[in-house]
């Protein structure tokens, strides 16, 4: 039984460029003596879907990864609250990784792109932070996620490691598909097999200090 998932902004191996992000609306873009880190190909972000329904056991969990994204972290050492994050993902680059069945992966990926994300109409998925708050081991990041033409506020707790030339961030957060106007997939007899509304985004990002002007 095929169960179709969806992808979200903080998903993927970051590499190929996508169009530049618009400036965030929030007032936290305070001037600061900043260090800019560009997301590197070593970054890994994945979205995990769950199963729901009376016969959810008959479906599959799925993991989704993007192949084309770009972004940056502007870090303000002397004023961390002024730091910001900007990420964009090419929706068409999202691919289903599991289950390990090539035919099913192709089918589910096609369904995700055409019926769930509607990539022909909404080619980009975007995240722009609106506030960054230091915690004991990282940051509490709040921001705006734009998916299939709908923007919603999201938040994540990130563990952070910052060196002179490298920034690493890890963590996870969850969102509901219905918050973005997405109807969770249903299949099987009478719609008894379906994807759960809430999905989890897991991230392990690596960003390298930008050089030049």
């Amino acid at each position: 039984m095929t169960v179709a998932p969806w992808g979200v902004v903080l998903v993927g191996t970051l590499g190929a460029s996508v169009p530049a992000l618009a400036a965030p609306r929030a007032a936290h873009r305070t001037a600061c003596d900043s260090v800019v880190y560009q997301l590197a190909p070593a970054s890994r972000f994945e979205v995990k879907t769950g199963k729901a329904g009376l016969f959810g056991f008959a479906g599959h969990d799925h993991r989704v990864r993007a192949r084309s994204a770009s972004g940056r972290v502007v870090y303000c050492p002397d004023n961390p609250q002024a730091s910001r994050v900007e990420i964009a993902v090419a929706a068409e680059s999202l691919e289903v990784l599991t289950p390990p069945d090539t035919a099913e992966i192709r089918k589910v990926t096609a369904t995700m792109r055409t019926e769930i994300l509607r990539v022909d109409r909404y080619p980009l998925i975007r995240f722009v932070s609106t506030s960054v708050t230091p915690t004991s081991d990282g940051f509490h990041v709040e921001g705006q996620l734009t998916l299939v033409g709908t923007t919603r506020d999201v938040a994540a707790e990130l563990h952070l490691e910052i060196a002179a030339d490298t920034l690493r961030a890890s963590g996870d957060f969850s969102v509901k598909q219905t918050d973005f106007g997405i109807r969770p997939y249903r299949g099987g007899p009478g719609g008894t097999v379906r994807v759960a509304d809430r999905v989890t985004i897991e991230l392990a990002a690596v960003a390298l200090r930008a050089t030049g002007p």
Side-chain angles (χ1 to χ4, degrees):
M1 183 69 66
T2 298
V3 180
W6 64 287
V8 72
V9 64
L10 289 177
V11 183
T13 299
L14 304 176
S17 61
V18 294
L21 291 162
R25 299 183 312 182
H28 85 294
R29 288 177 59 90
T30 305
C32 68
D33 185 9
S34 62
V35 181
V36 177
Y37 296 86
Q38 300 286 349
L39 291 175
S43 299
R44 180 62 58 87
F45 302 84
E46 295 179 353
V47 61
K48 180 180 179 181
T49 68
K51 297 168 291 187
L54 181 61
F55 296 103
F57 64 86
H60 293 293
D61 291 328
H62 287 283
R63 284 187 175 270
V64 182
R65 181 182 300 166
R67 301 295 184 184
S68 179
S70 66
R72 66 176 183 166
V73 178
V74 180
Y75 176 60
C76 301
D78 298 328
N79 185 17
Q81 291 88 341
S83 302
R84 58 189 183 273
V85 180
E86 305 169 359
I87 298 175
V89 167
E92 192 173 16
S93 74
L94 292 168
E95 294 181 350
V96 178
L97 302 181
T98 56
D101 180 296
T102 302
E104 182 169 6
I105 285 176
R106 288 197 300 265
K107 181 177 180 179
V108 177
T109 296
T111 300
M112 175 185 66
R113 292 175 179 172
T114 59
E115 299 181 17
I116 307 299
L117 296 178
R118 292 174 285 167
V119 300
D120 57 335
R121 184 175 180 183
Y122 305 106
L124 288 179
I125 302 169
R126 299 171 180 262
F127 174 81
V128 179
S129 65
T130 56
S131 71
V132 176
T133 305
T135 61
S136 59
D137 65 348
F139 288 96
H140 173 80
V141 179
E142 298 184 1
Q144 295 181 329
L145 172 63
T146 301
L147 177 66
V148 292
T150 299
T151 300
R152 292 287 182 264
D153 294 331
V154 298
E157 301 291 337
L158 301 180
H159 172 71
L160 204 66
E161 298 178 5
I162 301 175
D165 297 319
T166 307
L167 181 149
R168 297 177 183 272
S170 60
D172 61 66
F173 64 97
S174 63
V175 296
K176 287 185 176 180
Q177 299 180 71
T178 50
D179 287 345
F180 296 89
I182 296 173
R183 183 178 183 272
Y185 174 85
R186 295 189 178 190
T192 52
V193 178
R194 62 182 185 268
V195 169
D197 188 9
R198 186 173 294 276
V199 298
T200 300
I201 295 89
E202 301 171 351
L203 62 103
V206 179
L208 304 179
R209 184 169 183 165
T211 58

